[in-house]
Amino acid sequence: DQQVKQNSPSLSVQEGRISILNCDYTNSMFDYFLWYKKYPAEGPTFLISISSIKDKNEDGRFTVFLNKSAKHLSLHIVPSQPGDSAVYFCAASAGGGADGLTFGKGTHLIIQP
Amino acid sequence: DAGVIQSPRHEVTEMGQEVTLRCKPISGHDYLFWYRQTMMRGLELLIYFNNNVPIDDSGMPEDRFSAKMPNASFSTLKIQPSEPRDSAVYFCASSLEGRWNSPLHFGNGTRLTVT
Protein backbone atom coordinates (compact mmCIF):
# COMPACT_ATOMS: atom_id res chain seq x y z
CA ASP A 1 0.00 0.00 0.00
CA GLN A 2 1.53 3.28 -1.16
CA GLN A 3 1.60 5.75 1.68
CA VAL A 4 3.07 8.48 -0.52
CA LYS A 5 1.50 8.87 -3.92
CA GLN A 6 2.56 10.89 -6.90
CA ASN A 7 -0.28 10.31 -9.31
CA SER A 8 1.28 12.02 -12.32
CA PRO A 9 4.08 9.90 -13.79
CA SER A 10 5.03 12.77 -16.07
CA LEU A 11 4.40 16.47 -16.57
CA SER A 12 5.32 18.71 -19.48
CA VAL A 13 5.65 22.48 -18.94
CA GLN A 14 6.81 25.29 -21.16
CA GLU A 15 10.01 27.08 -20.22
CA GLY A 16 9.33 30.18 -18.15
CA ARG A 17 5.95 28.95 -16.89
CA ILE A 18 5.11 27.52 -13.48
CA SER A 19 5.59 23.80 -12.81
CA ILE A 20 3.38 22.29 -10.12
CA LEU A 21 4.15 18.79 -8.89
CA ASN A 22 1.69 17.14 -6.56
CA CYS A 23 1.99 14.56 -3.82
CA ASP A 24 -0.62 12.92 -1.57
CA TYR A 25 -0.04 10.91 1.56
CA THR A 26 -2.20 8.64 3.66
CA ASN A 27 -0.27 8.28 6.92
CA SER A 28 -1.39 10.96 9.38
CA MET A 29 1.77 10.34 11.42
CA PHE A 30 3.94 11.89 8.73
CA ASP A 31 5.26 15.20 9.99
CA TYR A 32 8.20 16.00 7.71
CA PHE A 33 8.14 16.16 3.95
CA LEU A 34 10.94 16.43 1.44
CA TRP A 35 11.41 16.73 -2.29
CA TYR A 36 14.30 15.12 -4.12
CA LYS A 37 15.35 15.69 -7.71
CA LYS A 38 16.94 13.02 -9.88
CA TYR A 39 18.75 13.29 -13.19
CA PRO A 40 19.29 10.20 -15.37
CA ALA A 41 22.17 7.98 -14.25
CA GLU A 42 22.54 9.94 -11.01
CA GLY A 43 21.25 9.51 -7.51
CA PRO A 44 18.47 11.69 -6.09
CA THR A 45 19.56 15.00 -4.59
CA PHE A 46 17.78 16.89 -1.84
CA LEU A 47 15.82 19.90 -3.03
CA ILE A 48 13.57 21.34 -0.32
CA SER A 49 11.71 20.23 2.79
CA ILE A 50 8.90 21.32 5.08
CA SER A 51 7.83 20.51 8.59
CA SER A 52 4.18 19.92 9.41
CA ILE A 53 4.17 23.01 11.63
CA LYS A 54 4.44 25.10 8.49
CA ASP A 55 2.28 25.35 5.42
CA LYS A 56 4.83 26.91 3.10
CA ASN A 57 8.57 26.89 2.58
CA GLU A 58 10.35 28.84 -0.09
CA ASP A 59 13.87 28.56 -1.50
CA GLY A 60 14.56 30.65 -4.56
CA ARG A 61 12.46 29.41 -7.46
CA PHE A 62 11.17 26.46 -5.43
CA THR A 63 8.23 26.60 -3.01
CA VAL A 64 6.62 23.70 -1.22
CA PHE A 65 3.07 24.00 0.07
CA LEU A 66 1.57 21.67 2.66
CA ASN A 67 -2.15 21.14 3.23
CA LYS A 68 -2.39 18.88 6.26
CA SER A 69 -6.15 18.58 6.26
CA ALA A 70 -6.07 17.31 2.69
CA LYS A 71 -2.88 15.32 3.25
CA HIS A 72 -1.47 16.98 0.18
CA LEU A 73 1.70 18.81 -0.71
CA SER A 74 2.89 20.44 -3.85
CA LEU A 75 6.14 21.74 -5.26
CA HIS A 76 6.03 24.92 -7.33
CA ILE A 77 8.89 25.88 -9.62
CA VAL A 78 8.76 29.42 -10.97
CA PRO A 79 9.98 30.14 -13.55
CA SER A 80 10.69 26.71 -14.99
CA GLN A 81 14.05 26.29 -16.68
CA PRO A 82 15.42 23.57 -18.98
CA GLY A 83 17.72 22.34 -16.21
CA ASP A 84 14.66 21.55 -14.13
CA SER A 85 13.86 18.61 -16.39
CA ALA A 86 14.28 15.64 -14.06
CA VAL A 87 12.36 13.14 -11.98
CA TYR A 88 11.03 14.60 -8.73
CA PHE A 89 10.41 12.38 -5.71
CA CYS A 90 8.21 13.32 -2.81
CA ALA A 91 9.22 11.76 0.52
CA ALA A 92 7.70 11.76 3.99
CA SER A 93 8.88 10.90 7.47
CA ALA A 94 7.21 10.29 10.82
CA GLY A 95 8.95 11.40 13.97
CA GLY A 96 11.79 13.19 12.26
CA GLY A 97 13.89 10.20 11.33
CA ALA A 98 15.55 9.87 7.94
CA ASP A 99 15.41 6.15 8.54
CA GLY A 100 11.67 6.30 8.12
CA LEU A 101 11.63 8.14 4.79
CA THR A 102 8.89 6.84 2.50
CA PHE A 103 9.22 7.86 -1.13
CA GLY A 104 6.66 8.29 -3.86
CA LYS A 105 7.31 6.78 -7.27
CA GLY A 106 8.30 10.09 -8.81
CA THR A 107 7.07 12.52 -11.46
CA HIS A 108 9.10 13.07 -14.60
CA LEU A 109 9.09 16.82 -15.32
CA ILE A 110 9.88 17.85 -18.87
CA ILE A 111 10.52 21.52 -19.60
CA GLN A 112 9.74 22.37 -23.19
CA PRO A 113 11.75 25.19 -24.83
CA ASP B 1 34.03 15.96 -0.89
CA ALA B 2 33.62 13.24 -3.53
CA GLY B 3 30.17 12.33 -2.32
CA VAL B 4 28.84 8.82 -1.88
CA ILE B 5 30.69 6.43 -4.14
CA GLN B 6 29.14 3.22 -5.40
CA SER B 7 30.65 0.45 -7.47
CA PRO B 8 30.17 -1.02 -9.91
CA ARG B 9 27.94 1.34 -11.91
CA HIS B 10 26.53 -1.54 -13.91
CA GLU B 11 26.42 -5.25 -13.15
CA VAL B 12 25.10 -7.93 -15.45
CA THR B 13 25.04 -11.45 -14.11
CA GLU B 14 23.33 -14.76 -14.61
CA MET B 15 20.69 -16.13 -12.33
CA GLY B 16 22.19 -18.04 -9.44
CA GLN B 17 25.39 -16.03 -9.28
CA GLU B 18 26.51 -14.04 -6.28
CA VAL B 19 26.44 -10.26 -6.63
CA THR B 20 28.25 -7.78 -4.37
CA LEU B 21 27.53 -4.08 -4.46
CA ARG B 22 29.85 -1.65 -2.75
CA CYS B 23 29.47 1.75 -1.16
CA LYS B 24 31.73 4.36 0.35
CA PRO B 25 29.74 6.95 2.34
CA ILE B 26 30.67 10.58 2.85
CA SER B 27 33.34 10.88 5.50
CA GLY B 28 31.88 11.79 8.86
CA HIS B 29 28.36 10.64 8.09
CA ASP B 30 27.06 8.30 10.77
CA TYR B 31 24.13 6.84 8.87
CA LEU B 32 24.22 4.65 5.79
CA PHE B 33 21.19 3.48 3.84
CA TRP B 34 20.66 0.98 1.03
CA TYR B 35 17.70 1.62 -1.28
CA ARG B 36 16.36 -0.24 -4.29
CA GLN B 37 14.51 1.45 -7.14
CA THR B 38 12.14 -0.40 -9.46
CA MET B 39 9.40 0.81 -11.76
CA MET B 40 6.76 -1.07 -9.82
CA ARG B 41 7.71 -0.13 -6.28
CA GLY B 42 9.73 3.06 -6.63
CA LEU B 43 12.43 3.71 -4.02
CA GLU B 44 12.38 1.20 -1.17
CA LEU B 45 14.57 1.21 1.91
CA LEU B 46 16.30 -2.13 2.32
CA ILE B 47 18.48 -1.60 5.39
CA TYR B 48 20.25 1.16 7.27
CA PHE B 49 23.22 1.38 9.60
CA ASN B 50 24.12 3.79 12.38
CA ASN B 51 27.78 3.92 13.36
CA ASN B 52 28.37 0.70 11.38
CA VAL B 53 25.65 -1.19 13.25
CA PRO B 54 22.60 -2.46 11.33
CA ILE B 55 19.54 -0.83 12.85
CA ASP B 56 16.64 -1.90 10.66
CA ASP B 57 16.77 -4.58 7.98
CA SER B 58 13.03 -5.10 7.72
CA GLY B 59 13.13 -3.95 4.11
CA MET B 60 15.49 -6.69 3.01
CA PRO B 61 13.32 -8.81 0.74
CA GLU B 62 14.69 -12.26 1.50
CA ASP B 63 17.48 -14.16 3.15
CA ARG B 64 19.28 -14.05 -0.16
CA PHE B 65 20.08 -10.42 0.64
CA SER B 66 22.69 -9.46 3.21
CA ALA B 67 24.50 -6.24 4.05
CA LYS B 68 27.57 -5.45 6.06
CA MET B 69 29.41 -2.38 7.21
CA PRO B 70 32.82 -3.48 8.50
CA ASN B 71 33.98 0.10 9.05
CA ALA B 72 32.80 3.69 8.76
CA SER B 73 33.97 4.05 5.17
CA PHE B 74 32.69 0.90 3.51
CA SER B 75 29.53 -1.11 3.11
CA THR B 76 28.47 -4.02 0.92
CA LEU B 77 25.13 -5.39 -0.20
CA LYS B 78 25.28 -8.99 -1.29
CA ILE B 79 22.72 -11.07 -3.15
CA GLN B 80 23.28 -14.82 -3.18
CA PRO B 81 21.90 -16.43 -5.25
CA SER B 82 20.66 -13.69 -7.57
CA GLU B 83 17.35 -13.95 -9.43
CA PRO B 84 15.94 -12.01 -12.41
CA ARG B 85 13.45 -10.21 -10.14
CA ASP B 86 16.40 -8.65 -8.32
CA SER B 87 17.08 -6.53 -11.41
CA ALA B 88 16.86 -2.91 -10.27
CA VAL B 89 18.94 0.15 -9.48
CA TYR B 90 20.47 -0.06 -6.02
CA PHE B 91 21.33 3.18 -4.27
CA CYS B 92 23.48 3.79 -1.27
CA ALA B 93 22.95 6.98 0.72
CA SER B 94 24.50 8.52 3.80
CA SER B 95 23.51 11.26 6.20
CA LEU B 96 25.10 13.13 9.04
CA GLU B 97 22.46 12.69 11.72
CA GLY B 98 19.75 10.43 10.38
CA ARG B 99 17.11 13.08 10.86
CA TRP B 100 14.86 14.64 8.28
CA ASN B 101 16.76 17.93 8.36
CA SER B 102 19.99 16.09 7.71
CA PRO B 103 19.19 15.12 4.14
CA LEU B 104 20.24 11.90 2.52
CA HIS B 105 23.13 12.10 0.08
CA PHE B 106 22.77 9.44 -2.56
CA GLY B 107 25.38 7.76 -4.69
CA ASN B 108 24.84 7.36 -8.42
CA GLY B 109 23.56 3.84 -8.02
CA THR B 110 24.38 0.39 -9.35
CA ARG B 111 22.18 -0.87 -12.15
CA LEU B 112 21.85 -4.62 -11.67
CA THR B 113 20.60 -6.88 -14.42
CA VAL B 114 20.11 -10.56 -13.67
CA THR B 115 19.47 -12.73 -16.71
Side-chain angles (χ1 to χ4, degrees):
Chain A
D1 180 33
Q2 280 262 299
Q3 296 187 64
V4 177
K5 299 178 184 178
Q6 295 179 256
N7 292 320
S8 298
S10 66
L11 175 67
S12 184
V13 174
Q14 201 167 13
E15 182 180 355
R17 306 294 291 267
I18 183 171
S19 294
I20 300 176
L21 294 96
N22 293 305
C23 177
D24 297 296
Y25 61 96
T26 58
N27 188 341
S28 58
M29 300 300 291
F30 286 148
D31 52 7
Y32 297 97
F33 304 89
L34 307 90
W35 286 92
Y36 282 79
K37 175 179 179 179
K38 183 184 180 303
Y39 292 119
E42 295 183 9
T45 55
F46 171 72
L47 188 58
I48 192 169
S49 62
I50 188 167
S51 164
S52 60
I53 63 174
K54 295 186 175 182
D55 54 21
K56 176 183 174 182
N57 188 26
E58 192 172 351
D59 183 1
R61 296 185 299 113
F62 303 91
T63 303
V64 56
F65 295 91
L66 175 63
N67 182 333
K68 290 184 290 293
S69 61
K71 292 191 177 69
H72 176 83
L73 64 155
S74 60
L75 174 68
H76 292 212
I77 307 173
V78 183
S80 301
Q81 299 175 353
D84 297 329
S85 295
V87 176
Y88 289 79
F89 291 97
C90 172
S93 170
D99 55 297
L101 271 184
T102 301
F103 284 84
K105 290 187 178 181
T107 296
H108 185 194
L109 175 65
I110 301 163
I111 305 301
Q112 306 275 10
Chain B
D1 198 314
V4 175
I5 300 173
Q6 291 185 247
S7 64
R9 288 300 308 273
H10 302 274
E11 177 78 40
V12 180
T13 191
E14 291 184 348
M15 181 175 64
Q17 296 298 307
E18 177 180 297
V19 175
T20 300
L21 311 182
R22 296 173 175 80
C23 175
K24 176 179 168 56
I26 292 173
S27 177
H29 281 193
D30 293 332
Y31 287 78
L32 183 139
F33 305 81
W34 282 100
Y35 281 85
R36 177 172 69 175
Q37 183 187 17
T38 60
M39 290 293 292
M40 288 295 295
R41 302 176 69 88
L43 270 167
E44 303 173 275
L45 176 64
L46 300 177
I47 185 172
Y48 80 96
F49 296 82
N50 176 215
N51 291 324
N52 314 338
V53 176
I55 303 301
D56 184 355
D57 66 353
S58 60
M60 296 284 261
E62 298 170 33
D63 291 343
R64 299 183 295 106
F65 286 69
S66 62
K68 293 182 180 179
M69 192 166 186
N71 57 61
S73 59
F74 185 65
S75 177
T76 59
L77 177 67
K78 186 176 293 187
I79 308 172
Q80 166 63 23
S82 58
E83 296 183 2
R85 60 191 167 125
D86 301 331
S87 297
V89 181
Y90 291 81
F91 288 102
C92 175
S94 68
S95 72
L96 191 57
E97 296 179 356
R99 298 196 61 78
W100 74 279
N101 56 354
S102 176
L104 300 180
H105 294 260
F106 285 83
N108 286 335
T110 295
R111 180 174 294 276
L112 173 65
T113 303
V114 183
T115 61

